[in-house]
Amino acid sequence: MTHRRAPAALLAPLALLATALPATAQDAAAPAAKEARIPFPSSVRDFRAEGDDVIYLRAGRQWYRGTFFAPCQGLPWAARIAFKPSPGIGGIDRHASIIVPRDGECHLDSLVKIDGDPPEKAKKPAKTKG
């Protein structure tokens, strides 16, 4: 009979530990940034690329950080970009796309406001001569 009670006695502390873990994981998680929207694509006056994964857009004095579902090929070398606004509501948000000439459409996954300017590693594309 003691053999049947021993596993139950060992499982009780494990059950308590298992119920405590989700609360700890939630406390450690950083709060998600609030998604933003640029109402008019024509208000975007500047952009910077951080590799092919991140784009910074400036509308007025405010900078926004956008990430993509997949790498946006050609973005680091693009001298200009275009926008495909969000279906239905227009504007640029997480449902919009960035069009890189000669390289195609890149779907945004997230767009959030940032404080200040983009980081130094976000480069402004070189201007083409001509």
Side-chain angles (χ1 to χ4, degrees):
M1 281 192 187
T2 57
H3 292 285
R4 290 185 186 179
R5 291 185 185 174
L10 291 174
L11 293 177
L14 291 175
L16 288 174
L17 181 62
T19 58
L21 285 177
T24 305
Q26 288 175 353
D27 293 339
K34 185 179 175 187
E35 290 293 322
R37 180 172 174 268
I38 301 171
F40 304 105
S42 62
S43 67
V44 175
R45 299 289 181 217
D46 196 3
F47 75 97
R48 308 280 166 92
E50 187 176 316
D52 55 7
D53 298 320
V54 176
I55 188 168
Y56 291 91
L57 303 172
R58 183 177 62 107
R61 294 182 181 169
Q62 179 64 54
W63 281 95
Y64 299 82
R65 181 182 192 270
T67 57
F68 299 101
F69 276 110
C72 187
Q73 303 298 324
L75 180 64
W77 303 279
R80 59 188 173 88
I81 58 172
F83 302 102
K84 181 178 178 183
S86 294
I89 61 168
I92 303 167
D93 63 9
R94 63 180 293 184
H95 302 290
S97 297
I98 306 295
I99 309 292
V100 179
R102 290 181 266 152
D103 287 304
E105 186 174 340
C106 303
H107 301 281
L108 286 171
D109 181 41
S110 176
L111 185 70
V112 296
K113 286 183 180 182
I114 63 168
D115 294 327
D117 293 333
E120 290 294 321
K121 62 184 173 180
K123 301 194 187 239
K124 186 168 182 140
K127 296 199 183 228
T128 56
K129 295 180 181 179

